[in-house]
Amino acid sequence: GQSLEQPSEVTAVEGAIVQINCTYQTSGFYGLSWYQQHDGGAPTFLSYNGLDGLEETGRFSSFLSRSDSYGYLLLQELQMKDSASYFCAVGGNFNKFYFGSGTKLNVKP
Amino acid sequence: DADVTQTPRNRITKTGKRIMLECSQTKGHDRMYWYRQDPGLGLRLIYYSFDVKDINKGEISDGYSVSRQAQAKFSLSLESAIPNQTALYFCATSAQKAGVYTGELFFGEGSRLTVL
């Protein structure tokens, strides 16, 4: 089966840097994706790591270590609009995607 | 217009009723998925389909059925709704680019279902 662990809630101040960790256990692992979801909205794709290392997209970066079954999402220069839930998701056999339970990020002024 | 469209967006029904949630997409993707979201549980995979003739069960398929009427349409049915199926349901699509796995799902705006 699959299991993903991420913190349930994180609080940070505007302008700060925050890291959201994700550890996983899965069969047929292809890669790790990250999604953002605002209250009442649909999840939107942020990044994908198919290989070990760091991927950077603007203020957001994502990291993967396959040997440690671990990844993280790094958000820099936090803004109020970054307040949302963040989900890690593993891609497994046959393009199946399994999601973690989400991390609620609260950004305070 | 949204690339992945779900109808209805909100539905209240009674226990025992049959309900269908519909999803259509204009992205031309071959892969379509139905997820269920409950507070604190993230998104759980109900069914997925890689083409019209290929439909597969996900983590929580009991009590649900699906139909892939065309490449662009994927419907989820609750044959006899029960209160613990009250949830937010999302349809999603994905595709490979030049045979490469992209890791990206495109979600519809969700269908909120309440079963009384």
Side-chain angles (χ1 to χ4, degrees), chain B residues 4-26:
Chain B
V4 183
T5 303
Q6 294 183 229
T7 56
R9 295 290 312 280
N10 289 282
R11 181 72 181 268
I12 299 174
T13 191
K14 294 182 178 180
T15 298
K17 294 292 188 181
R18 184 178 187 274
I19 295 297
M20 179 180 286
L21 306 179
E22 298 186 337
C23 177
S24 62
Q25 53 117 344
T26 58

mmCIF file of all heavy atoms in Angstrom, chain B residues 4-26:
data_model
loop_
_atom_site.group_PDB
_atom_site.id
_atom_site.type_symbol
_atom_site.label_atom_id
_atom_site.label_comp_id
_atom_site.label_asym_id
_atom_site.label_seq_id
_atom_site.Cartn_x
_atom_site.Cartn_y
_atom_site.Cartn_z
ATOM 1 N N VAL B 4 -11.381 21.469 -17.234
ATOM 2 C CA VAL B 4 -11.981 20.286 -16.632
ATOM 3 C C VAL B 4 -13.237 20.766 -15.904
ATOM 4 O O VAL B 4 -13.140 21.552 -14.955
ATOM 5 C CB VAL B 4 -11.022 19.586 -15.649
ATOM 6 C CG1 VAL B 4 -11.657 18.309 -15.102
ATOM 7 C CG2 VAL B 4 -9.698 19.256 -16.339
ATOM 8 N N THR B 5 -14.382 20.322 -16.368
ATOM 9 C CA THR B 5 -15.665 20.824 -15.879
ATOM 10 C C THR B 5 -16.436 19.728 -15.169
ATOM 11 O O THR B 5 -16.591 18.626 -15.710
ATOM 12 C CB THR B 5 -16.512 21.357 -17.044
ATOM 13 O OG1 THR B 5 -15.786 22.369 -17.726
ATOM 14 C CG2 THR B 5 -17.817 21.949 -16.530
ATOM 15 N N GLN B 6 -16.906 20.040 -13.981
ATOM 16 C CA GLN B 6 -17.688 19.082 -13.210
ATOM 17 C C GLN B 6 -19.104 19.603 -13.006
ATOM 18 O O GLN B 6 -19.304 20.783 -12.739
ATOM 19 C CB GLN B 6 -17.051 18.848 -11.828
ATOM 20 C CG GLN B 6 -15.705 18.170 -11.867
ATOM 21 C CD GLN B 6 -15.168 17.891 -10.487
ATOM 22 O OE1 GLN B 6 -14.016 18.202 -10.186
ATOM 23 N NE2 GLN B 6 -15.975 17.291 -9.631
ATOM 24 N N THR B 7 -20.075 18.687 -13.116
ATOM 25 C CA THR B 7 -21.454 19.029 -12.806
ATOM 26 C C THR B 7 -22.098 17.888 -12.035
ATOM 27 O O THR B 7 -21.787 16.713 -12.294
ATOM 28 C CB THR B 7 -22.282 19.279 -14.091
ATOM 29 O OG1 THR B 7 -22.193 18.133 -14.940
ATOM 30 C CG2 THR B 7 -21.797 20.502 -14.828
ATOM 31 N N PRO B 8 -22.960 18.197 -11.046
ATOM 32 C CA PRO B 8 -23.233 19.527 -10.523
ATOM 33 C C PRO B 8 -22.121 19.997 -9.603
ATOM 34 O O PRO B 8 -21.287 19.205 -9.190
ATOM 35 C CB PRO B 8 -24.530 19.302 -9.740
ATOM 36 C CG PRO B 8 -24.404 17.899 -9.240
ATOM 37 C CD PRO B 8 -23.702 17.142 -10.346
ATOM 38 N N ARG B 9 -22.081 21.262 -9.283
ATOM 39 C CA ARG B 9 -21.083 21.779 -8.343
ATOM 40 C C ARG B 9 -21.505 21.524 -6.904
ATOM 41 O O ARG B 9 -20.667 21.337 -6.024
ATOM 42 C CB ARG B 9 -20.891 23.279 -8.553
ATOM 43 C CG ARG B 9 -20.293 23.645 -9.909
ATOM 44 C CD ARG B 9 -18.829 23.217 -10.019
ATOM 45 N NE ARG B 9 -18.057 23.621 -8.858
ATOM 46 C CZ ARG B 9 -17.590 24.833 -8.672
ATOM 47 N NH1 ARG B 9 -17.795 25.772 -9.586
ATOM 48 N NH2 ARG B 9 -16.898 25.124 -7.578
ATOM 49 N N ASN B 10 -22.789 21.514 -6.670
ATOM 50 C CA ASN B 10 -23.332 21.230 -5.342
ATOM 51 C C ASN B 10 -24.575 20.383 -5.487
ATOM 52 O O ASN B 10 -25.388 20.610 -6.389
ATOM 53 C CB ASN B 10 -23.697 22.525 -4.610
ATOM 54 C CG ASN B 10 -22.483 23.303 -4.176
ATOM 55 O OD1 ASN B 10 -21.847 22.962 -3.193
ATOM 56 N ND2 ASN B 10 -22.157 24.340 -4.911
ATOM 57 N N ARG B 11 -24.715 19.402 -4.598
ATOM 58 C CA ARG B 11 -25.901 18.552 -4.642
ATOM 59 C C ARG B 11 -26.215 18.059 -3.240
ATOM 60 O O ARG B 11 -25.325 17.589 -2.525
ATOM 61 C CB ARG B 11 -25.660 17.372 -5.568
ATOM 62 C CG ARG B 11 -26.836 16.427 -5.725
ATOM 63 C CD ARG B 11 -27.949 17.044 -6.551
ATOM 64 N NE ARG B 11 -29.086 16.146 -6.668
ATOM 65 C CZ ARG B 11 -29.253 15.272 -7.658
ATOM 66 N NH1 ARG B 11 -28.355 15.160 -8.603
ATOM 67 N NH2 ARG B 11 -30.319 14.511 -7.671
ATOM 68 N N ILE B 12 -27.491 18.183 -2.894
ATOM 69 C CA ILE B 12 -27.972 17.614 -1.639
ATOM 70 C C ILE B 12 -28.965 16.522 -1.998
ATOM 71 O O ILE B 12 -29.875 16.756 -2.803
ATOM 72 C CB ILE B 12 -28.637 18.690 -0.760
ATOM 73 C CG1 ILE B 12 -27.623 19.783 -0.410
ATOM 74 C CG2 ILE B 12 -29.191 18.057 0.524
ATOM 75 C CD1 ILE B 12 -28.235 20.965 0.334
ATOM 76 N N THR B 13 -28.788 15.349 -1.435
ATOM 77 C CA THR B 13 -29.661 14.245 -1.759
ATOM 78 C C THR B 13 -29.985 13.459 -0.489
ATOM 79 O O THR B 13 -29.469 13.741 0.591
ATOM 80 C CB THR B 13 -29.031 13.335 -2.819
ATOM 81 O OG1 THR B 13 -30.008 12.398 -3.296
ATOM 82 C CG2 THR B 13 -27.844 12.556 -2.246
ATOM 83 N N LYS B 14 -30.822 12.445 -0.652
ATOM 84 C CA LYS B 14 -31.222 11.640 0.499
ATOM 85 C C LYS B 14 -30.632 10.244 0.424
ATOM 86 O O LYS B 14 -30.314 9.740 -0.670
ATOM 87 C CB LYS B 14 -32.753 11.561 0.564
ATOM 88 C CG LYS B 14 -33.417 12.903 0.842
ATOM 89 C CD LYS B 14 -34.924 12.738 0.939
ATOM 90 C CE LYS B 14 -35.589 14.073 1.261
ATOM 91 N NZ LYS B 14 -37.081 13.943 1.358
ATOM 92 N N THR B 15 -30.510 9.623 1.557
ATOM 93 C CA THR B 15 -30.007 8.248 1.617
ATOM 94 C C THR B 15 -30.804 7.337 0.704
ATOM 95 O O THR B 15 -32.035 7.403 0.665
ATOM 96 C CB THR B 15 -30.082 7.743 3.072
ATOM 97 O OG1 THR B 15 -29.243 8.555 3.896
ATOM 98 C CG2 THR B 15 -29.636 6.295 3.164
ATOM 99 N N GLY B 16 -30.076 6.516 -0.063
ATOM 100 C CA GLY B 16 -30.707 5.557 -0.949
ATOM 101 C C GLY B 16 -30.899 6.035 -2.371
ATOM 102 O O GLY B 16 -31.181 5.228 -3.273
ATOM 103 N N LYS B 17 -30.733 7.319 -2.614
ATOM 104 C CA LYS B 17 -30.901 7.860 -3.958
ATOM 105 C C LYS B 17 -29.684 7.554 -4.820
ATOM 106 O O LYS B 17 -28.564 7.427 -4.337
ATOM 107 C CB LYS B 17 -31.121 9.369 -3.906
ATOM 108 C CG LYS B 17 -32.418 9.784 -3.244
ATOM 109 C CD LYS B 17 -33.614 9.376 -4.080
ATOM 110 C CE LYS B 17 -34.900 9.962 -3.502
ATOM 111 N NZ LYS B 17 -36.084 9.542 -4.291
ATOM 112 N N ARG B 18 -29.905 7.443 -6.126
ATOM 113 C CA ARG B 18 -28.805 7.288 -7.081
ATOM 114 C C ARG B 18 -28.356 8.670 -7.537
ATOM 115 O O ARG B 18 -29.168 9.520 -7.886
ATOM 116 C CB ARG B 18 -29.252 6.468 -8.284
ATOM 117 C CG ARG B 18 -28.125 6.194 -9.266
ATOM 118 C CD ARG B 18 -28.605 5.319 -10.422
ATOM 119 N NE ARG B 18 -27.521 4.907 -11.286
ATOM 120 C CZ ARG B 18 -27.053 5.612 -12.306
ATOM 121 N NH1 ARG B 18 -27.594 6.778 -12.605
ATOM 122 N NH2 ARG B 18 -26.054 5.152 -13.051
ATOM 123 N N ILE B 19 -27.045 8.841 -7.521
ATOM 124 C CA ILE B 19 -26.472 10.135 -7.889
ATOM 125 C C ILE B 19 -25.383 9.931 -8.938
ATOM 126 O O ILE B 19 -24.604 8.982 -8.855
ATOM 127 C CB ILE B 19 -25.834 10.813 -6.655
ATOM 128 C CG1 ILE B 19 -26.905 11.149 -5.640
ATOM 129 C CG2 ILE B 19 -25.075 12.076 -7.042
ATOM 130 C CD1 ILE B 19 -27.919 12.152 -6.137
ATOM 131 N N MET B 20 -25.345 10.829 -9.928
ATOM 132 C CA MET B 20 -24.264 10.799 -10.907
ATOM 133 C C MET B 20 -23.551 12.141 -10.920
ATOM 134 O O MET B 20 -24.200 13.193 -11.009
ATOM 135 C CB MET B 20 -24.788 10.490 -12.310
ATOM 136 C CG MET B 20 -23.686 10.485 -13.367
ATOM 137 S SD MET B 20 -24.266 10.123 -15.029
ATOM 138 C CE MET B 20 -24.579 8.374 -14.898
ATOM 139 N N LEU B 21 -22.258 12.097 -10.825
ATOM 140 C CA LEU B 21 -21.413 13.282 -10.977
ATOM 141 C C LEU B 21 -20.703 13.169 -12.322
ATOM 142 O O LEU B 21 -20.133 12.123 -12.632
ATOM 143 C CB LEU B 21 -20.391 13.369 -9.844
ATOM 144 C CG LEU B 21 -20.948 13.316 -8.418
ATOM 145 C CD1 LEU B 21 -19.808 13.401 -7.402
ATOM 146 C CD2 LEU B 21 -21.945 14.424 -8.184
ATOM 147 N N GLU B 22 -20.743 14.257 -13.077
ATOM 148 C CA GLU B 22 -20.189 14.197 -14.425
ATOM 149 C C GLU B 22 -18.938 15.061 -14.550
ATOM 150 O O GLU B 22 -18.812 16.087 -13.889
ATOM 151 C CB GLU B 22 -21.244 14.623 -15.441
ATOM 152 C CG GLU B 22 -22.462 13.708 -15.434
ATOM 153 C CD GLU B 22 -23.469 14.028 -16.527
ATOM 154 O OE1 GLU B 22 -23.475 15.157 -17.009
ATOM 155 O OE2 GLU B 22 -24.242 13.112 -16.869
ATOM 156 N N CYS B 23 -18.058 14.618 -15.403
ATOM 157 C CA CYS B 23 -16.809 15.327 -15.642
ATOM 158 C C CYS B 23 -16.526 15.328 -17.136
ATOM 159 O O CYS B 23 -16.584 14.275 -17.774
ATOM 160 C CB CYS B 23 -15.673 14.656 -14.888
ATOM 161 S SG CYS B 23 -14.045 15.400 -15.171
ATOM 162 N N SER B 24 -16.212 16.484 -17.665
ATOM 163 C CA SER B 24 -15.795 16.558 -19.058
ATOM 164 C C SER B 24 -14.551 17.432 -19.152
ATOM 165 O O SER B 24 -14.362 18.352 -18.363
ATOM 166 C CB SER B 24 -16.911 17.123 -19.941
ATOM 167 O OG SER B 24 -17.231 18.443 -19.561
ATOM 168 N N GLN B 25 -13.697 17.131 -20.126
ATOM 169 C CA GLN B 25 -12.446 17.877 -20.265
ATOM 170 C C GLN B 25 -12.166 18.208 -21.722
ATOM 171 O O GLN B 25 -12.539 17.479 -22.626
ATOM 172 C CB GLN B 25 -11.281 17.062 -19.664
ATOM 173 C CG GLN B 25 -11.181 15.639 -20.215
ATOM 174 C CD GLN B 25 -9.929 15.346 -20.965
ATOM 175 O OE1 GLN B 25 -9.179 16.237 -21.369
ATOM 176 N NE2 GLN B 25 -9.676 14.056 -21.175
ATOM 177 N N THR B 26 -11.540 19.358 -21.901
ATOM 178 C CA THR B 26 -11.174 19.819 -23.233
ATOM 179 C C THR B 26 -9.667 19.820 -23.426
ATOM 180 O O THR B 26 -9.151 20.416 -24.373
ATOM 181 C CB THR B 26 -11.718 21.240 -23.468
ATOM 182 O OG1 THR B 26 -11.197 22.121 -22.452
ATOM 183 C CG2 THR B 26 -13.232 21.263 -23.435
#
